[in-house]
Amino acid sequence: MAKQREEYLCSACGAKSPRWTGQCTGCGEWNTMAAVAAASALGGWSARGAGKRPASLCAPEALEDLGGDAVRARPTGIPALDGLLGAGLVPGAALLLGGEPGVGKSTLLLQLAARQAELDAKGKHARTVYVSGEESLAQIRGRAERLGLLGPGLLALATNNADEALDVVAGMGQNPGLIIVDSVQTLASPRAEGIPGSVSQVRAVSGELVEAVKRSQATLVLVGHVTKDGQIAGPKLLEHMVDTVLYLEGDRRDYSRVLRVLKNRFGPSDELLVFTMEEKGLSVVDDPSTFFLGARDASLSGAAVSVAMDGRRPFAVEIQALATKSFLSIPRRAALGFDANRLHLLLAVLEKRLKLPLGQFDIYVKQGGGLALRDPGLDLGLAAAVLSSYYDAPLPEGAVFWGELDLNGHVRPVAGHETRLKQASRLGYGPLLHSGTCKTLDDLRQALFGKARP
């Protein structure tokens, strides 16, 4: 009997190696390589006999000869979510939803299942099945009852067997429907080795489910766990296999949530949707442009309003800064909602170009409302907030900022300038300080505080 050939698989990224190595060559992690049985190449055909493989039964076709009819998507029952996805739920499509534990993934999907069940009851769709590997049916029912979502046509299945989930897909046939699998890391396939959640199991389960749904008219939604770094757990192949990748983010102690599109084959991939967590589940924020601004007192120092871009959507956000005399040999620097390295860089530019002794101050900055943005256009607003706190003088009421600062202290234009300008004008802000009205940090200080103060 031939000896079973082994290969080594990284549990962090899924990279393969013919021999064991202490460090994975794919992701650089240590001690993550584990031995698994090597899969047969080419679906059972050996590389040596590949030339004898029979001709494929599926011949290539000319694209211009194919029908041009677009696949008709079904509404989700949540109009804002339809716009986020591009059109709605596309038959044969697979979606992946990631997010931190407790952020509201299961709540959002249960609401989606309930909306689909309402449409099912009206005869517009086939059926919706919520497959859970984490909760029992009693727990799912209790949560649905608490959210006020119980109704006819809301079907659920509690299982950890991937074959039972595949039977649900097969039961749909060619009828439209929705299958929600919460989560893919809790299912196990008998055709793969390892425990549920391992790289081999996640690859096998997701591959079988996606392949099955592609042959049907149903839509598949997979829930994916995340790692401690906030990345979707499992092999990166999982994100390549699906058509749409969504990420729900937010602090569990806060009431706001943001649903981002990281990948979308059927619509824009730079959209987002803002929710608020309420007693009856997640509620869509219709106009999020000033949602994260909140109530503010313009007479206080250290607070600046900036128009930021996230994807194609402009937001008015408040940037708060506190500069206080330090009694430590190494002053403290803290950033909430900002990249700490970028904060250190901007403080160094302020100290160098404006001759400010910021090395003697503890400086704390945060974005108001709990939103974390990575927009370089926030640089000018952050600088204005730090200067306001340093001089202990409030900024002009209605002033709004956007622009990127370079290492020479110059203000550079940023993407979406016209969109930001229109949004600021619509909200009635003024004066507007950006790369067109403020060329350098000296110009900014002169416009806000007159001559430099000692």
Side-chain angles (χ1 to χ4, degrees), residues 76 81 84-85 88-98 109 112 178-181 184 210 213-214 218-224 238 241-246 263-264 266:
T76 62
L81 187 57
L84 182 78
L85 297 176
L89 300 175
V90 178
L95 293 80
L96 175 64
L97 174 64
L109 292 180
L112 174 61
L178 174 65
I179 302 102
I180 298 173
V181 177
V184 68
V210 171
V213 81
K214 291 293 184 184
T219 304
L220 174 68
V221 178
L222 299 174
V223 177
L238 181 60
M241 292 171 60
V242 299
D243 301 295
T244 303
V245 179
L246 307 174
K263 169 188 174 182
N264 192 2
F266 307 110

PDB file of all heavy atoms in Angstrom, residues 76 81 84-85 88-98 109 112 178-181 184 210 213-214 218-224 238 241-246 263-264 266:
ATOM      1  N   THR A  76     -33.972  43.207  -0.582  1.00  0.00           N
ATOM      2  CA  THR A  76     -33.709  42.633   0.729  1.00  0.00           C
ATOM      3  C   THR A  76     -34.821  42.913   1.719  1.00  0.00           C
ATOM      4  O   THR A  76     -34.903  42.255   2.758  1.00  0.00           O
ATOM      5  CB  THR A  76     -32.398  43.199   1.295  1.00  0.00           C
ATOM      6  OG1 THR A  76     -32.538  44.624   1.462  1.00  0.00           O
ATOM      7  CG2 THR A  76     -31.236  42.913   0.367  1.00  0.00           C
ATOM      8  N   LEU A  81     -30.099  48.889   2.431  1.00  0.00           N
ATOM      9  CA  LEU A  81     -29.194  47.769   2.194  1.00  0.00           C
ATOM     10  C   LEU A  81     -29.166  47.398   0.716  1.00  0.00           C
ATOM     11  O   LEU A  81     -28.122  46.979   0.192  1.00  0.00           O
ATOM     12  CB  LEU A  81     -29.618  46.574   3.047  1.00  0.00           C
ATOM     13  CG  LEU A  81     -28.686  45.362   3.048  1.00  0.00           C
ATOM     14  CD1 LEU A  81     -27.288  45.757   3.498  1.00  0.00           C
ATOM     15  CD2 LEU A  81     -29.235  44.260   3.939  1.00  0.00           C
ATOM     16  N   LEU A  84     -26.740  49.671  -0.829  1.00  0.00           N
ATOM     17  CA  LEU A  84     -25.376  49.329  -0.452  1.00  0.00           C
ATOM     18  C   LEU A  84     -24.844  48.182  -1.298  1.00  0.00           C
ATOM     19  O   LEU A  84     -23.690  48.193  -1.742  1.00  0.00           O
ATOM     20  CB  LEU A  84     -25.333  48.958   1.028  1.00  0.00           C
ATOM     21  CG  LEU A  84     -23.961  48.607   1.600  1.00  0.00           C
ATOM     22  CD1 LEU A  84     -23.165  49.882   1.859  1.00  0.00           C
ATOM     23  CD2 LEU A  84     -24.085  47.806   2.886  1.00  0.00           C
ATOM     24  N   LEU A  85     -25.686  47.170  -1.542  1.00  0.00           N
ATOM     25  CA  LEU A  85     -25.262  45.994  -2.307  1.00  0.00           C
ATOM     26  C   LEU A  85     -25.249  46.245  -3.799  1.00  0.00           C
ATOM     27  O   LEU A  85     -24.666  45.458  -4.546  1.00  0.00           O
ATOM     28  CB  LEU A  85     -26.184  44.815  -1.990  1.00  0.00           C
ATOM     29  CG  LEU A  85     -26.187  44.327  -0.531  1.00  0.00           C
ATOM     30  CD1 LEU A  85     -27.216  43.221  -0.347  1.00  0.00           C
ATOM     31  CD2 LEU A  85     -24.804  43.843  -0.128  1.00  0.00           C
ATOM     32  N   GLY A  88     -29.545  44.470  -4.635  1.00  0.00           N
ATOM     33  CA  GLY A  88     -30.241  43.594  -3.706  1.00  0.00           C
ATOM     34  C   GLY A  88     -29.531  42.258  -3.634  1.00  0.00           C
ATOM     35  O   GLY A  88     -28.306  42.177  -3.717  1.00  0.00           O
ATOM     36  N   LEU A  89     -30.314  41.193  -3.491  1.00  0.00           N
ATOM     37  CA  LEU A  89     -29.779  39.838  -3.396  1.00  0.00           C
ATOM     38  C   LEU A  89     -29.776  39.209  -4.787  1.00  0.00           C
ATOM     39  O   LEU A  89     -30.831  38.967  -5.374  1.00  0.00           O
ATOM     40  CB  LEU A  89     -30.616  39.006  -2.432  1.00  0.00           C
ATOM     41  CG  LEU A  89     -30.684  39.529  -0.987  1.00  0.00           C
ATOM     42  CD1 LEU A  89     -31.631  38.682  -0.153  1.00  0.00           C
ATOM     43  CD2 LEU A  89     -29.295  39.551  -0.367  1.00  0.00           C
ATOM     44  N   VAL A  90     -28.595  38.942  -5.303  1.00  0.00           N
ATOM     45  CA  VAL A  90     -28.452  38.383  -6.652  1.00  0.00           C
ATOM     46  C   VAL A  90     -28.525  36.864  -6.572  1.00  0.00           C
ATOM     47  O   VAL A  90     -27.815  36.246  -5.770  1.00  0.00           O
ATOM     48  CB  VAL A  90     -27.118  38.818  -7.281  1.00  0.00           C
ATOM     49  CG1 VAL A  90     -26.939  38.196  -8.652  1.00  0.00           C
ATOM     50  CG2 VAL A  90     -27.047  40.336  -7.362  1.00  0.00           C
ATOM     51  N   PRO A  91     -29.367  36.206  -7.373  1.00  0.00           N
ATOM     52  CA  PRO A  91     -29.426  34.738  -7.362  1.00  0.00           C
ATOM     53  C   PRO A  91     -28.083  34.121  -7.724  1.00  0.00           C
ATOM     54  O   PRO A  91     -27.401  34.560  -8.653  1.00  0.00           O
ATOM     55  CB  PRO A  91     -30.483  34.432  -8.433  1.00  0.00           C
ATOM     56  CG  PRO A  91     -31.319  35.660  -8.510  1.00  0.00           C
ATOM     57  CD  PRO A  91     -30.387  36.806  -8.247  1.00  0.00           C
ATOM     58  N   GLY A  92     -27.677  33.107  -6.960  1.00  0.00           N
ATOM     59  CA  GLY A  92     -26.413  32.438  -7.192  1.00  0.00           C
ATOM     60  C   GLY A  92     -25.212  33.148  -6.610  1.00  0.00           C
ATOM     61  O   GLY A  92     -24.084  32.689  -6.803  1.00  0.00           O
ATOM     62  N   ALA A  93     -25.414  34.247  -5.885  1.00  0.00           N
ATOM     63  CA  ALA A  93     -24.305  35.008  -5.327  1.00  0.00           C
ATOM     64  C   ALA A  93     -24.021  34.554  -3.903  1.00  0.00           C
ATOM     65  O   ALA A  93     -24.892  34.041  -3.198  1.00  0.00           O
ATOM     66  CB  ALA A  93     -24.619  36.507  -5.345  1.00  0.00           C
ATOM     67  N   ALA A  94     -22.779  34.759  -3.486  1.00  0.00           N
ATOM     68  CA  ALA A  94     -22.342  34.428  -2.130  1.00  0.00           C
ATOM     69  C   ALA A  94     -21.789  35.682  -1.481  1.00  0.00           C
ATOM     70  O   ALA A  94     -20.964  36.382  -2.068  1.00  0.00           O
ATOM     71  CB  ALA A  94     -21.290  33.323  -2.144  1.00  0.00           C
ATOM     72  N   LEU A  95     -22.250  35.979  -0.258  1.00  0.00           N
ATOM     73  CA  LEU A  95     -21.810  37.144   0.488  1.00  0.00           C
ATOM     74  C   LEU A  95     -21.126  36.686   1.766  1.00  0.00           C
ATOM     75  O   LEU A  95     -21.510  35.666   2.354  1.00  0.00           O
ATOM     76  CB  LEU A  95     -22.980  38.063   0.849  1.00  0.00           C
ATOM     77  CG  LEU A  95     -23.719  38.791  -0.287  1.00  0.00           C
ATOM     78  CD1 LEU A  95     -24.713  37.870  -0.973  1.00  0.00           C
ATOM     79  CD2 LEU A  95     -24.439  40.016   0.252  1.00  0.00           C
ATOM     80  N   LEU A  96     -20.136  37.441   2.196  1.00  0.00           N
ATOM     81  CA  LEU A  96     -19.413  37.154   3.431  1.00  0.00           C
ATOM     82  C   LEU A  96     -19.519  38.365   4.338  1.00  0.00           C
ATOM     83  O   LEU A  96     -19.190  39.485   3.936  1.00  0.00           O
ATOM     84  CB  LEU A  96     -17.942  36.843   3.131  1.00  0.00           C
ATOM     85  CG  LEU A  96     -17.028  36.635   4.340  1.00  0.00           C
ATOM     86  CD1 LEU A  96     -17.453  35.416   5.147  1.00  0.00           C
ATOM     87  CD2 LEU A  96     -15.571  36.500   3.890  1.00  0.00           C
ATOM     88  N   LEU A  97     -19.993  38.152   5.571  1.00  0.00           N
ATOM     89  CA  LEU A  97     -20.140  39.218   6.549  1.00  0.00           C
ATOM     90  C   LEU A  97     -19.205  38.954   7.719  1.00  0.00           C
ATOM     91  O   LEU A  97     -19.277  37.894   8.350  1.00  0.00           O
ATOM     92  CB  LEU A  97     -21.589  39.309   7.040  1.00  0.00           C
ATOM     93  CG  LEU A  97     -21.858  40.290   8.187  1.00  0.00           C
ATOM     94  CD1 LEU A  97     -21.567  41.729   7.744  1.00  0.00           C
ATOM     95  CD2 LEU A  97     -23.302  40.177   8.676  1.00  0.00           C
ATOM     96  N   GLY A  98     -18.320  39.901   8.010  1.00  0.00           N
ATOM     97  CA  GLY A  98     -17.401  39.783   9.136  1.00  0.00           C
ATOM     98  C   GLY A  98     -17.644  40.885  10.144  1.00  0.00           C
ATOM     99  O   GLY A  98     -18.336  41.875   9.868  1.00  0.00           O
ATOM    100  N   LEU A 109     -28.553  39.936  10.453  1.00  0.00           N
ATOM    101  CA  LEU A 109     -28.969  38.874   9.538  1.00  0.00           C
ATOM    102  C   LEU A 109     -30.325  38.302   9.918  1.00  0.00           C
ATOM    103  O   LEU A 109     -31.092  37.882   9.047  1.00  0.00           O
ATOM    104  CB  LEU A 109     -27.908  37.777   9.519  1.00  0.00           C
ATOM    105  CG  LEU A 109     -26.577  38.189   8.886  1.00  0.00           C
ATOM    106  CD1 LEU A 109     -25.594  37.043   8.907  1.00  0.00           C
ATOM    107  CD2 LEU A 109     -26.781  38.681   7.454  1.00  0.00           C
ATOM    108  N   LEU A 112     -32.701  40.637   8.431  1.00  0.00           N
ATOM    109  CA  LEU A 112     -32.777  40.390   6.991  1.00  0.00           C
ATOM    110  C   LEU A 112     -33.618  39.157   6.704  1.00  0.00           C
ATOM    111  O   LEU A 112     -34.459  39.165   5.781  1.00  0.00           O
ATOM    112  CB  LEU A 112     -31.370  40.221   6.429  1.00  0.00           C
ATOM    113  CG  LEU A 112     -31.249  39.813   4.963  1.00  0.00           C
ATOM    114  CD1 LEU A 112     -31.888  40.851   4.065  1.00  0.00           C
ATOM    115  CD2 LEU A 112     -29.791  39.584   4.577  1.00  0.00           C
ATOM    116  N   LEU A 178     -32.994  32.448   0.168  1.00  0.00           N
ATOM    117  CA  LEU A 178     -31.879  33.005   0.912  1.00  0.00           C
ATOM    118  C   LEU A 178     -31.455  32.011   1.979  1.00  0.00           C
ATOM    119  O   LEU A 178     -32.290  31.520   2.748  1.00  0.00           O
ATOM    120  CB  LEU A 178     -32.274  34.337   1.565  1.00  0.00           C
ATOM    121  CG  LEU A 178     -31.252  34.973   2.503  1.00  0.00           C
ATOM    122  CD1 LEU A 178     -29.998  35.381   1.735  1.00  0.00           C
ATOM    123  CD2 LEU A 178     -31.847  36.191   3.217  1.00  0.00           C
ATOM    124  N   ILE A 179     -30.156  31.679   1.999  1.00  0.00           N
ATOM    125  CA  ILE A 179     -29.592  30.808   3.030  1.00  0.00           C
ATOM    126  C   ILE A 179     -28.554  31.605   3.803  1.00  0.00           C
ATOM    127  O   ILE A 179     -27.603  32.134   3.209  1.00  0.00           O
ATOM    128  CB  ILE A 179     -28.946  29.542   2.432  1.00  0.00           C
ATOM    129  CG1 ILE A 179     -29.959  28.749   1.605  1.00  0.00           C
ATOM    130  CG2 ILE A 179     -28.374  28.674   3.528  1.00  0.00           C
ATOM    131  CD1 ILE A 179     -29.807  28.941   0.126  1.00  0.00           C
ATOM    132  N   ILE A 180     -28.722  31.722   5.100  1.00  0.00           N
ATOM    133  CA  ILE A 180     -27.784  32.414   5.980  1.00  0.00           C
ATOM    134  C   ILE A 180     -27.087  31.374   6.834  1.00  0.00           C
ATOM    135  O   ILE A 180     -27.749  30.584   7.516  1.00  0.00           O
ATOM    136  CB  ILE A 180     -28.515  33.445   6.865  1.00  0.00           C
ATOM    137  CG1 ILE A 180     -29.173  34.513   5.993  1.00  0.00           C
ATOM    138  CG2 ILE A 180     -27.549  34.082   7.863  1.00  0.00           C
ATOM    139  CD1 ILE A 180     -30.056  35.468   6.770  1.00  0.00           C
ATOM    140  N   VAL A 181     -25.760  31.343   6.791  1.00  0.00           N
ATOM    141  CA  VAL A 181     -24.970  30.389   7.565  1.00  0.00           C
ATOM    142  C   VAL A 181     -24.179  31.177   8.607  1.00  0.00           C
ATOM    143  O   VAL A 181     -23.290  31.957   8.270  1.00  0.00           O
ATOM    144  CB  VAL A 181     -24.019  29.579   6.665  1.00  0.00           C
ATOM    145  CG1 VAL A 181     -23.167  28.640   7.502  1.00  0.00           C
ATOM    146  CG2 VAL A 181     -24.811  28.800   5.626  1.00  0.00           C
ATOM    147  N   VAL A 184     -19.501  30.196   9.284  1.00  0.00           N
ATOM    148  CA  VAL A 184     -18.824  29.174   8.498  1.00  0.00           C
ATOM    149  C   VAL A 184     -17.754  28.459   9.319  1.00  0.00           C
ATOM    150  O   VAL A 184     -17.408  27.308   9.036  1.00  0.00           O
ATOM    151  CB  VAL A 184     -18.216  29.815   7.228  1.00  0.00           C
ATOM    152  CG1 VAL A 184     -17.071  30.761   7.595  1.00  0.00           C
ATOM    153  CG2 VAL A 184     -17.734  28.774   6.253  1.00  0.00           C
ATOM    154  N   VAL A 210     -20.425  27.468  -1.584  1.00  0.00           N
ATOM    155  CA  VAL A 210     -20.420  28.427  -2.689  1.00  0.00           C
ATOM    156  C   VAL A 210     -20.661  27.714  -4.015  1.00  0.00           C
ATOM    157  O   VAL A 210     -21.428  28.189  -4.863  1.00  0.00           O
ATOM    158  CB  VAL A 210     -19.090  29.205  -2.711  1.00  0.00           C
ATOM    159  CG1 VAL A 210     -18.976  30.045  -3.981  1.00  0.00           C
ATOM    160  CG2 VAL A 210     -18.970  30.093  -1.485  1.00  0.00           C
ATOM    161  N   VAL A 213     -24.395  26.808  -4.245  1.00  0.00           N
ATOM    162  CA  VAL A 213     -25.320  27.920  -4.456  1.00  0.00           C
ATOM    163  C   VAL A 213     -25.166  28.512  -5.858  1.00  0.00           C
ATOM    164  O   VAL A 213     -26.110  29.094  -6.398  1.00  0.00           O
ATOM    165  CB  VAL A 213     -25.109  29.002  -3.360  1.00  0.00           C
ATOM    166  CG1 VAL A 213     -23.926  29.903  -3.690  1.00  0.00           C
ATOM    167  CG2 VAL A 213     -26.369  29.826  -3.154  1.00  0.00           C
ATOM    168  N   LYS A 214     -23.979  28.372  -6.475  1.00  0.00           N
ATOM    169  CA  LYS A 214     -23.787  28.875  -7.831  1.00  0.00           C
ATOM    170  C   LYS A 214     -24.655  28.128  -8.837  1.00  0.00           C
ATOM    171  O   LYS A 214     -24.997  28.669  -9.897  1.00  0.00           O
ATOM    172  CB  LYS A 214     -22.313  28.739  -8.236  1.00  0.00           C
ATOM    173  CG  LYS A 214     -21.347  29.647  -7.498  1.00  0.00           C
ATOM    174  CD  LYS A 214     -21.550  31.098  -7.814  1.00  0.00           C
ATOM    175  CE  LYS A 214     -20.501  31.968  -7.126  1.00  0.00           C
ATOM    176  NZ  LYS A 214     -20.736  33.409  -7.348  1.00  0.00           N
ATOM    177  N   ALA A 218     -30.568  30.539  -5.414  1.00  0.00           N
ATOM    178  CA  ALA A 218     -30.570  31.066  -4.058  1.00  0.00           C
ATOM    179  C   ALA A 218     -29.382  32.002  -3.849  1.00  0.00           C
ATOM    180  O   ALA A 218     -28.438  32.024  -4.638  1.00  0.00           O
ATOM    181  CB  ALA A 218     -30.537  29.928  -3.040  1.00  0.00           C
ATOM    182  N   THR A 219     -29.451  32.763  -2.782  1.00  0.00           N
ATOM    183  CA  THR A 219     -28.351  33.639  -2.368  1.00  0.00           C
ATOM    184  C   THR A 219     -27.826  33.154  -1.032  1.00  0.00           C
ATOM    185  O   THR A 219     -28.600  32.839  -0.127  1.00  0.00           O
ATOM    186  CB  THR A 219     -28.826  35.097  -2.247  1.00  0.00           C
ATOM    187  OG1 THR A 219     -29.396  35.518  -3.489  1.00  0.00           O
ATOM    188  CG2 THR A 219     -27.670  36.011  -1.888  1.00  0.00           C
ATOM    189  N   LEU A 220     -26.501  33.082  -0.915  1.00  0.00           N
ATOM    190  CA  LEU A 220     -25.858  32.573   0.296  1.00  0.00           C
ATOM    191  C   LEU A 220     -25.183  33.711   1.040  1.00  0.00           C
ATOM    192  O   LEU A 220     -24.479  34.527   0.450  1.00  0.00           O
ATOM    193  CB  LEU A 220     -24.816  31.511  -0.079  1.00  0.00           C
ATOM    194  CG  LEU A 220     -23.947  30.960   1.051  1.00  0.00           C
ATOM    195  CD1 LEU A 220     -24.781  30.135   2.021  1.00  0.00           C
ATOM    196  CD2 LEU A 220     -22.797  30.131   0.483  1.00  0.00           C
ATOM    197  N   VAL A 221     -25.413  33.767   2.352  1.00  0.00           N
ATOM    198  CA  VAL A 221     -24.734  34.730   3.221  1.00  0.00           C
ATOM    199  C   VAL A 221     -23.958  33.944   4.271  1.00  0.00           C
ATOM    200  O   VAL A 221     -24.549  33.187   5.047  1.00  0.00           O
ATOM    201  CB  VAL A 221     -25.727  35.698   3.904  1.00  0.00           C
ATOM    202  CG1 VAL A 221     -24.965  36.652   4.825  1.00  0.00           C
ATOM    203  CG2 VAL A 221     -26.512  36.476   2.870  1.00  0.00           C
ATOM    204  N   LEU A 222     -22.639  34.099   4.277  1.00  0.00           N
ATOM    205  CA  LEU A 222     -21.771  33.443   5.241  1.00  0.00           C
ATOM    206  C   LEU A 222     -21.316  34.454   6.277  1.00  0.00           C
ATOM    207  O   LEU A 222     -20.941  35.586   5.931  1.00  0.00           O
ATOM    208  CB  LEU A 222     -20.540  32.845   4.556  1.00  0.00           C
ATOM    209  CG  LEU A 222     -20.776  31.768   3.489  1.00  0.00           C
ATOM    210  CD1 LEU A 222     -19.450  31.412   2.824  1.00  0.00           C
ATOM    211  CD2 LEU A 222     -21.409  30.539   4.107  1.00  0.00           C
ATOM    212  N   VAL A 223     -21.332  34.057   7.537  1.00  0.00           N
ATOM    213  CA  VAL A 223     -20.776  34.883   8.606  1.00  0.00           C
ATOM    214  C   VAL A 223     -19.389  34.370   8.919  1.00  0.00           C
ATOM    215  O   VAL A 223     -19.195  33.159   9.093  1.00  0.00           O
ATOM    216  CB  VAL A 223     -21.663  34.852   9.864  1.00  0.00           C
ATOM    217  CG1 VAL A 223     -21.031  35.653  10.991  1.00  0.00           C
ATOM    218  CG2 VAL A 223     -23.046  35.397   9.554  1.00  0.00           C
ATOM    219  N   GLY A 224     -18.418  35.277   8.973  1.00  0.00           N
ATOM    220  CA  GLY A 224     -17.042  34.892   9.256  1.00  0.00           C
ATOM    221  C   GLY A 224     -16.551  35.518  10.544  1.00  0.00           C
ATOM    222  O   GLY A 224     -16.785  36.700  10.801  1.00  0.00           O
ATOM    223  N   LEU A 238     -11.053  32.523   1.214  1.00  0.00           N
ATOM    224  CA  LEU A 238     -12.474  32.672   1.528  1.00  0.00           C
ATOM    225  C   LEU A 238     -13.025  33.974   0.959  1.00  0.00           C
ATOM    226  O   LEU A 238     -14.136  34.000   0.419  1.00  0.00           O
ATOM    227  CB  LEU A 238     -12.671  32.618   3.038  1.00  0.00           C
ATOM    228  CG  LEU A 238     -14.100  32.738   3.567  1.00  0.00           C
ATOM    229  CD1 LEU A 238     -14.966  31.618   3.016  1.00  0.00           C
ATOM    230  CD2 LEU A 238     -14.115  32.722   5.092  1.00  0.00           C
ATOM    231  N   MET A 241     -13.397  33.735  -2.885  1.00  0.00           N
ATOM    232  CA  MET A 241     -14.431  32.837  -3.393  1.00  0.00           C
ATOM    233  C   MET A 241     -15.791  33.501  -3.470  1.00  0.00           C
ATOM    234  O   MET A 241     -16.605  33.164  -4.334  1.00  0.00           O
ATOM    235  CB  MET A 241     -14.519  31.591  -2.501  1.00  0.00           C
ATOM    236  CG  MET A 241     -13.302  30.690  -2.567  1.00  0.00           C
ATOM    237  SD  MET A 241     -13.363  29.392  -1.322  1.00  0.00           S
ATOM    238  CE  MET A 241     -14.870  28.565  -1.793  1.00  0.00           C
ATOM    239  N   VAL A 242     -16.078  34.436  -2.561  1.00  0.00           N
ATOM    240  CA  VAL A 242     -17.399  35.045  -2.502  1.00  0.00           C
ATOM    241  C   VAL A 242     -17.470  36.241  -3.439  1.00  0.00           C
ATOM    242  O   VAL A 242     -16.453  36.757  -3.911  1.00  0.00           O
ATOM    243  CB  VAL A 242     -17.745  35.459  -1.064  1.00  0.00           C
ATOM    244  CG1 VAL A 242     -17.765  34.251  -0.147  1.00  0.00           C
ATOM    245  CG2 VAL A 242     -16.762  36.497  -0.538  1.00  0.00           C
ATOM    246  N   ASP A 243     -18.689  36.694  -3.697  1.00  0.00           N
ATOM    247  CA  ASP A 243     -18.895  37.825  -4.601  1.00  0.00           C
ATOM    248  C   ASP A 243     -18.868  39.160  -3.871  1.00  0.00           C
ATOM    249  O   ASP A 243     -18.500  40.179  -4.466  1.00  0.00           O
ATOM    250  CB  ASP A 243     -20.248  37.678  -5.316  1.00  0.00           C
ATOM    251  CG  ASP A 243     -20.339  36.398  -6.107  1.00  0.00           C
ATOM    252  OD1 ASP A 243     -19.577  36.254  -7.084  1.00  0.00           O
ATOM    253  OD2 ASP A 243     -21.155  35.521  -5.754  1.00  0.00           O
ATOM    254  N   THR A 244     -19.273  39.167  -2.612  1.00  0.00           N
ATOM    255  CA  THR A 244     -19.359  40.408  -1.843  1.00  0.00           C
ATOM    256  C   THR A 244     -18.812  40.166  -0.445  1.00  0.00           C
ATOM    257  O   THR A 244     -19.126  39.143   0.170  1.00  0.00           O
ATOM    258  CB  THR A 244     -20.812  40.912  -1.762  1.00  0.00           C
ATOM    259  OG1 THR A 244     -21.328  41.087  -3.079  1.00  0.00           O
ATOM    260  CG2 THR A 244     -20.891  42.236  -1.019  1.00  0.00           C
ATOM    261  N   VAL A 245     -17.995  41.093   0.035  1.00  0.00           N
ATOM    262  CA  VAL A 245     -17.472  41.029   1.399  1.00  0.00           C
ATOM    263  C   VAL A 245     -17.942  42.271   2.143  1.00  0.00           C
ATOM    264  O   VAL A 245     -17.671  43.403   1.721  1.00  0.00           O
ATOM    265  CB  VAL A 245     -15.930  40.953   1.411  1.00  0.00           C
ATOM    266  CG1 VAL A 245     -15.417  40.914   2.852  1.00  0.00           C
ATOM    267  CG2 VAL A 245     -15.443  39.733   0.648  1.00  0.00           C
ATOM    268  N   LEU A 246     -18.652  42.057   3.236  1.00  0.00           N
ATOM    269  CA  LEU A 246     -19.147  43.142   4.084  1.00  0.00           C
ATOM    270  C   LEU A 246     -18.478  43.053   5.445  1.00  0.00           C
ATOM    271  O   LEU A 246     -18.121  41.960   5.899  1.00  0.00           O
ATOM    272  CB  LEU A 246     -20.667  43.054   4.252  1.00  0.00           C
ATOM    273  CG  LEU A 246     -21.505  42.980   2.976  1.00  0.00           C
ATOM    274  CD1 LEU A 246     -22.970  42.753   3.327  1.00  0.00           C
ATOM    275  CD2 LEU A 246     -21.348  44.250   2.166  1.00  0.00           C
ATOM    276  N   LYS A 263     -15.689  44.457  -0.840  1.00  0.00           N
ATOM    277  CA  LYS A 263     -15.610  43.875  -2.175  1.00  0.00           C
ATOM    278  C   LYS A 263     -17.033  43.666  -2.665  1.00  0.00           C
ATOM    279  O   LYS A 263     -17.903  43.256  -1.892  1.00  0.00           O
ATOM    280  CB  LYS A 263     -14.868  42.536  -2.131  1.00  0.00           C
ATOM    281  CG  LYS A 263     -14.950  41.721  -3.421  1.00  0.00           C
ATOM    282  CD  LYS A 263     -14.365  40.338  -3.237  1.00  0.00           C
ATOM    283  CE  LYS A 263     -14.566  39.478  -4.467  1.00  0.00           C
ATOM    284  NZ  LYS A 263     -14.025  38.106  -4.281  1.00  0.00           N
ATOM    285  N   ASN A 264     -17.271  43.973  -3.937  1.00  0.00           N
ATOM    286  CA  ASN A 264     -18.619  43.800  -4.474  1.00  0.00           C
ATOM    287  C   ASN A 264     -18.541  43.657  -5.985  1.00  0.00           C
ATOM    288  O   ASN A 264     -18.088  44.570  -6.680  1.00  0.00           O
ATOM    289  CB  ASN A 264     -19.508  44.990  -4.105  1.00  0.00           C
ATOM    290  CG  ASN A 264     -20.975  44.720  -4.374  1.00  0.00           C
ATOM    291  OD1 ASN A 264     -21.347  43.637  -4.809  1.00  0.00           O
ATOM    292  ND2 ASN A 264     -21.820  45.697  -4.108  1.00  0.00           N
ATOM    293  N   PHE A 266     -21.177  43.249  -7.824  1.00  0.00           N
ATOM    294  CA  PHE A 266     -22.448  43.676  -8.400  1.00  0.00           C
ATOM    295  C   PHE A 266     -22.751  45.141  -8.129  1.00  0.00           C
ATOM    296  O   PHE A 266     -23.859  45.608  -8.404  1.00  0.00           O
ATOM    297  CB  PHE A 266     -23.595  42.820  -7.847  1.00  0.00           C
ATOM    298  CG  PHE A 266     -23.369  41.347  -7.996  1.00  0.00           C
ATOM    299  CD1 PHE A 266     -23.122  40.560  -6.882  1.00  0.00           C
ATOM    300  CD2 PHE A 266     -23.395  40.747  -9.228  1.00  0.00           C
ATOM    301  CE1 PHE A 266     -22.914  39.200  -7.001  1.00  0.00           C
ATOM    302  CE2 PHE A 266     -23.184  39.381  -9.365  1.00  0.00           C
ATOM    303  CZ  PHE A 266     -22.936  38.610  -8.255  1.00  0.00           C
TER     304      PHE A 266
END
